[in-house]
Amino acid sequence: MPPRHTVKPNASAAPLSSLADAATPRSPTVPLDEVDRQILVLLSQDSRRSQRALARELGMSAPAVGERIGRLERLGVIRGYGVRLDWSAAGFPMTVYLIITAVQGYQQSAIVEKIANIPELEELNIVTGAIDILARFRVRDHAHLRQLIMEHIWKIEGVHRTETSLSILDIEAENLVAGLLSTPAAGPE
Amino acid sequence: MPPRHTVKPNASAAPLSSLADAATPRSPTVPLDEVDRQILVLLSQDSRRSQRALARELGMSAPAVGERIGRLERLGVIRGYGVRLDWSAAGFPMTVYLIITAVQGYQQSAIVEKIANIPELEELNIVTGAIDILARFRVRDHAHLRQLIMEHIWKIEGVHRTETSLSILDIEAENLVAGLLSTPAAGPE
DNA sequence: CTTGAAATAATGAATGA
DNA sequence: TCATTCATTATTTCAAG
């Protein structure tokens, strides 16, 4: 038996059967105390730190940390553990946003579902305002981008307009967890 | 001594001193073979799986897996290990995009640096095209959003126009790693 | 939540293909 | 050069208080 906590298995690489499979959940708020928040901050910085190391930093015992983590997993605050990749080193240096406007009255979910199954997709949002869909992709080069747009996006029915925005600078705020959970009007107890 | 790999410490919660501190690197491409890719896929699904478990799934020994992972960390393909949070459960159910256009000729980096230090920031991109900056934030509610815009964004000089887009549906493509690294014209060997 | 013990895992050295 | 086995050290987990 594996020694570590087993979280519910993550989304597989298989095509989505429905949007709900991939959509970020809108779960009920879980009360978090200061220790919970600190654990989340530390894990967000390096989720492979041992519970012992966490325990040392937090001034408590390892089993106590283990129980906290288990609780956060059970309650769904922790959805899983991932890797921060350097996509550039992995051979996909380009980040591109496709800003999509749908044809009026068209089923957006059909469009979204098709985009959601494109392997190059990193994130997709249906948004309010002038545009309808904001999708971020990872591609290898211009040829890859062209292939993505021509062979995938343009073949989706109901897409009214597509604007392509290349990312010139990408900043991932790794202080989000620390910044939001710690200081300012933090989560309800 | 800690038994797990120690990756270079991640970005702290301290304010950024320069953009380079947070910007996604444009590193040289690292050759990845099939085993490397599989390890990355498995780790992206659950980075806390033990090396033994990985070894079992890959049909090799644990030390071999450990060396592979160490190499990927040293070469910078693996930048770190993080947590997938349910921000809704953590009390921040709203995702909002701010689409920002800068004043002509204004120093974009000054704007970016100010935005980068807002705790609610999740990700920021300077992009080509009609807009200049695309920034995604996490907020608790409408009041929090208003406070964010009025007290932070509006006080930044050089911002020409800001459009606020609420995310109605957010899909994180967890199959990105599997999809991109495995099947289609994968990374150079 | 803490302590202590048992099961399990990670690391490094020696070894062999 | 690369992967395996073995021994050591560290960690997770369970039980009891």
Side-chain angles (χ1 to χ4, degrees):
Chain A
M1 286 304 157
R4 297 217 127 90
H5 294 286
T6 50
V7 184
K8 45 193 160 203
N10 293 306
S12 70
L16 304 169
S17 53
S18 88
L19 286 184
D21 290 354
T24 287
R26 177 172 285 267
S27 334
T29 300
V30 172
L32 303 175
D33 67 9
E34 189 52 33
V35 176
D36 290 325
R37 282 193 283 270
Q38 286 183 317
I39 289 177
L40 291 177
V41 170
L42 292 172
L43 283 181
S44 77
Q45 290 167 358
D46 179 6
S47 63
R48 292 187 43 141
R49 267 232 263 333
S50 71
Q51 299 181 356
R52 271 188 144 220
L54 297 175
R56 278 190 292 267
E57 297 197 53
L58 297 173
M60 52 198 293
S61 71
V65 172
E67 277 188 21
R68 294 282 191 145
I69 294 178
R71 171 179 166 267
L72 292 171
E73 291 172 350
R74 277 194 310 279
L75 294 177
V77 178
I78 294 179
R79 283 170 38 221
Y81 302 92
V83 176
R84 273 190 296 275
L85 281 189
D86 182 340
W87 279 102
S88 215
F92 296 85
M94 291 180 66
T95 297
V96 58
Y97 280 92
L98 295 188
I99 302 171
I100 297 168
T101 315
V103 171
Q104 273 291 3
Y106 216 88
Q107 285 294 352
Q108 274 193 355
S109 60
I111 300 176
V112 168
E113 215 156 315
K114 288 195 184 87
I115 296 177
N117 284 316
I118 298 176
E120 286 87 353
L121 181 73
E122 219 177 332
E123 187 165 27
L124 183 157
N125 285 270
I126 301 186
V127 295
T128 67
I131 63 177
D132 295 313
I133 295 170
L134 196 54
R136 187 173 73 244
F137 297 87
R138 270 284 175 186
V139 291
R140 183 180 292 287
D141 49 32
H142 284 92
H144 190 180
L145 173 58
R146 173 170 46 81
Q147 181 249 342
L148 167 70
I149 294 179
M150 292 177 61
E151 292 190 17
H152 284 104
I153 305 299
W154 285 359
K155 292 193 173 170
I156 299 174
E157 283 185 70
V159 171
H160 177 242
R161 210 177 75 84
T162 306
E163 186 183 334
T164 306
S165 263
L166 259 62
S167 172
I168 292 175
L169 177 77
D170 186 348
I171 294 182
E172 291 172 47
E174 313 200 9
N175 41 353
L176 211 212
V177 180
L180 271 198
L181 292 181
S182 301
T183 354
E189 288 286 327
Chain B
M1 287 303 155
R4 296 217 128 88
H5 294 286
T6 51
V7 185
K8 45 194 160 203
N10 294 307
S12 70
L16 302 170
S17 54
S18 87
L19 287 184
D21 290 354
T24 286
R26 175 172 287 266
S27 333
T29 301
V30 171
L32 304 175
D33 67 9
E34 189 53 33
V35 176
D36 290 325
R37 283 193 282 269
Q38 286 184 314
I39 289 176
L40 291 177
V41 170
L42 291 173
L43 282 181
S44 76
Q45 291 167 359
D46 179 5
S47 63
R48 292 187 46 144
R49 266 228 271 319
S50 71
Q51 300 182 357
R52 289 192 151 190
L54 296 176
R56 277 191 292 267
E57 296 198 54
L58 297 172
M60 52 199 290
S61 72
V65 172
E67 277 188 23
R68 295 282 190 148
I69 293 178
R71 171 178 166 268
L72 292 171
E73 290 173 350
R74 277 195 311 280
L75 294 177
V77 178
I78 294 178
R79 283 170 40 220
Y81 303 93
V83 177
R84 273 190 297 276
L85 282 189
D86 181 341
W87 279 103
S88 215
F92 297 85
M94 290 181 67
T95 297
V96 58
Y97 280 92
L98 295 188
I99 301 172
I100 297 168
T101 315
V103 171
Q104 273 291 1
Y106 217 88
Q107 285 293 351
Q108 274 194 354
S109 60
I111 301 176
V112 169
E113 214 155 316
K114 287 195 185 87
I115 297 177
N117 284 315
I118 300 176
E120 286 86 352
L121 180 72
E122 220 177 333
E123 186 165 28
L124 183 158
N125 285 270
I126 301 185
V127 295
T128 66
I131 62 177
D132 295 313
I133 295 170
L134 195 55
R136 187 173 72 243
F137 296 87
R138 271 283 172 186
V139 291
R140 184 179 293 287
D141 49 32
H142 283 91
H144 190 180
L145 172 59
R146 172 169 47 80
Q147 181 247 343
L148 166 71
I149 294 178
M150 292 176 60
E151 292 191 18
H152 283 104
I153 304 299
W154 285 358
K155 291 192 175 171
I156 299 175
E157 283 184 70
V159 170
H160 177 243
R161 211 177 74 84
T162 304
E163 186 183 336
T164 305
S165 264
L166 260 61
S167 172
I168 292 175
L169 178 77
D170 185 348
I171 293 181
E172 289 172 47
E174 312 201 10
N175 40 355
L176 212 212
V177 180
L180 269 199
L181 291 181
S182 302
T183 355
E189 290 283 330

